[in-house]
């Protein structure tokens, strides 16, 4: 699969394209990265160097790819952290232009806004743009549970509420929704879940909860799920493979007490997921 990935980039550590490209490549996909920011490291450190990439520069790169005559070869478009609010228009324009050439190309949007622990950490301009401009043209979205609630305005505490929020998100545009970091009252404290819905079919997978958070884990998850879904057209297989790889990546990172994801050290789990978790159809 050929995947155009429009996301942030950091030189040190692994978030955005710096988290998505290598796992996708090890899973067997060709990735064409376009960067929306060029930072030294992720902003969670509180200090960084570099700059946000203007939307005009993002579009210029897309224009150059178009001139190679390869839009028809793009199987999927993936977007994540958008940087400035002007990037939304550049992404939507790129999706439209690529789908004009290849209507079968799928667009996967990771609507990065925040998480349950930190709250919303992007500019106040970003969530409305995601909701009103970007998500409506997406085929796949991969919010965490907090972002799903923020995006739809629905409560997401119980499984029933989360499924209702997914339906509300589907009504905006995307057919396929992956919800990460799902916690609900009836699940054990040492378990965390992912929920994937494709049309009317919903699947749930549970993995052990590791008591830590590492920037970039959501980016890896969104990338792998997108790649596996493009390859297999099966949300169940994509969910099972993704859960397996991401858990092993996080487990390796946790055991090493590393502040950054151990992508290189964990590369075999992207190429050969252990498939150690069962997926339940709801």
């Amino acid at each position: 699969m050929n995947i155009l990935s429009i996301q942030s980039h950091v030189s040190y550590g692994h978030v955005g394209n710096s988290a998505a490209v290598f796992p996708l490549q090890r899973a067997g996909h060709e990735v064409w990265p376009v960067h929306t920011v060029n930072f030294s490291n992720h902003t969670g450190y509180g200090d960084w160097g570099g700059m946000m990439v203007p939307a005009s520069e993002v579009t210029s790169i897309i224009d150059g790819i178009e001139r190679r005559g390869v839009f028809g070869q793009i199987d999927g478009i993936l977007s994540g952290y958008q940087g400035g609010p002007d990037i939304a228009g550049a992404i939507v324009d790129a999706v439209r232009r690529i789908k004009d050439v290849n209507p079968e190309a799928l667009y996967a949007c990771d609507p990065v806004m925040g998480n349950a622990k930190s709250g919303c950490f992007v500019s106040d301009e970003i969530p409305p743009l995601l909701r009103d401009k970007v998500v409506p043209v997406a085929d796949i979205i991969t919010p965490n549970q907090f972002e799903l609630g923020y995006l739809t305005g629905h409560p997401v505490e119980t499984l029933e509420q989360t499924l209702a929020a997914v339906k509300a998100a589907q009504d905006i545009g995307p057919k396929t929704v992956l919800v990460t970091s799902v916690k609900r009252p009836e699940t054990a404290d040492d378990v965390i879940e992912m929920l994937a819905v494709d049309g009317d079919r919903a699947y749930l997978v549970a993995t052990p909860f590791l008591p830590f958070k590492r920037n970039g884990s959501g980016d890896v998850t969104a990338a792998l799920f997108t790649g596996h879904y493009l390859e297999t057209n099966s949300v169940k297989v994509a969910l099972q493979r993704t859960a397996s790889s991401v858990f092993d990546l996080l487990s390796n990172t946790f055991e090493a007490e590393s502040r950054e994801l151990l992508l290189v050290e964990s590369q075999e789990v992207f190429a050969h997921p252990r498939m150690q978790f069962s997926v339940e159809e709801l």
Side-chain angles (χ1 to χ4, degrees):
M1 296 290 131
N2 295 319
I3 300 171
L4 179 73
S5 182
I6 309 173
Q7 301 195 54
S8 60
H9 167 78
V10 295
S11 296
Y12 175 78
H14 300 292
V15 299
N17 273 332
S18 303
V21 173
F22 181 65
L24 280 171
Q25 289 172 330
R26 286 296 284 125
H29 304 290
E30 183 67 56
V31 189
W32 307 347
V34 177
H35 304 324
T36 58
V37 308
N38 187 19
F39 286 167
S40 57
N41 50 269
H42 70 69
T43 58
Y45 284 96
D47 173 75
W48 64 92
M51 59 175 287
M52 291 192 293
V53 178
S56 60
E57 294 297 321
V58 172
T59 298
S60 177
I61 294 170
I62 302 296
D63 291 344
I65 295 172
E66 182 179 33
R67 291 195 297 272
R68 303 289 70 77
V70 294
F71 272 9
Q73 299 175 27
I74 295 174
D75 300 293
I77 307 112
L78 173 65
S79 73
Y81 180 74
Q82 298 190 10
D86 57 343
I87 298 296
I91 292 173
V92 171
D93 178 65
V95 170
R96 177 188 59 77
R97 290 161 58 189
I98 292 165
K99 287 195 171 210
D100 282 346
V101 177
N102 179 14
E104 299 301 313
L106 296 181
Y107 168 42
C109 169
D110 185 10
V112 178
M113 291 182 281
N115 55 62
K117 183 177 181 179
S118 305
C120 190
F121 52 61
V122 298
S123 161
D124 291 342
E125 299 172 275
I126 298 295
L129 283 170
L130 286 168
R131 181 189 65 232
D132 301 332
K133 191 169 186 175
V134 183
V135 171
V137 303
D139 301 290
I140 302 166
I141 60 171
T142 58
N144 60 40
Q145 191 175 24
F146 168 84
E147 289 164 339
L148 176 67
Y150 206 94
L151 187 67
T152 62
H154 283 236
V156 289
E157 293 182 8
T158 67
L159 180 59
E160 291 73 20
Q161 288 174 337
T162 303
L163 286 167
V166 167
K167 180 61 171 63
Q170 289 176 315
D171 288 342
I172 299 174
K175 171 178 174 281
T176 305
V177 180
L178 172 70
V179 188
T180 64
S181 302
V182 175
K183 295 288 287 184
R184 50 197 176 102
E186 58 268 39
T187 55
D189 291 339
D190 60 351
V191 168
I192 194 162
E193 296 170 317
M194 284 199 292
L195 170 71
V197 182
D198 197 32
D200 295 327
R201 304 189 74 172
Y203 300 87
L204 194 68
V205 64
T207 64
F209 174 72
L210 298 171
F212 82 135
K213 174 80 170 68
R214 286 298 178 266
N215 295 73
S217 58
D219 302 325
V220 176
T221 303
L224 288 176
F225 180 82
T226 299
H228 291 315
Y229 185 81
L230 288 171
E231 180 184 2
T232 67
N233 197 34
S234 168
V235 71
K236 182 178 181 180
V237 173
L239 180 62
Q240 190 174 23
R241 288 182 181 178
T242 301
S244 173
S245 297
V246 171
F247 174 77
D248 282 344
L249 166 65
L250 289 176
S251 181
N252 292 343
T253 303
F254 179 71
E255 291 173 5
E257 299 182 352
S258 172
R259 183 163 182 177
E260 293 287 348
L261 295 172
L262 296 184
L263 284 193
V264 175
E265 295 86 343
S266 302
Q267 59 184 284
E268 284 303 310
V269 309
F270 310 132
H272 306 289
R274 290 193 293 143
M275 306 293 272
Q276 68 271 43
F277 303 113
S278 60
V279 172
E280 171 192 2
E281 184 167 7
L282 302 178

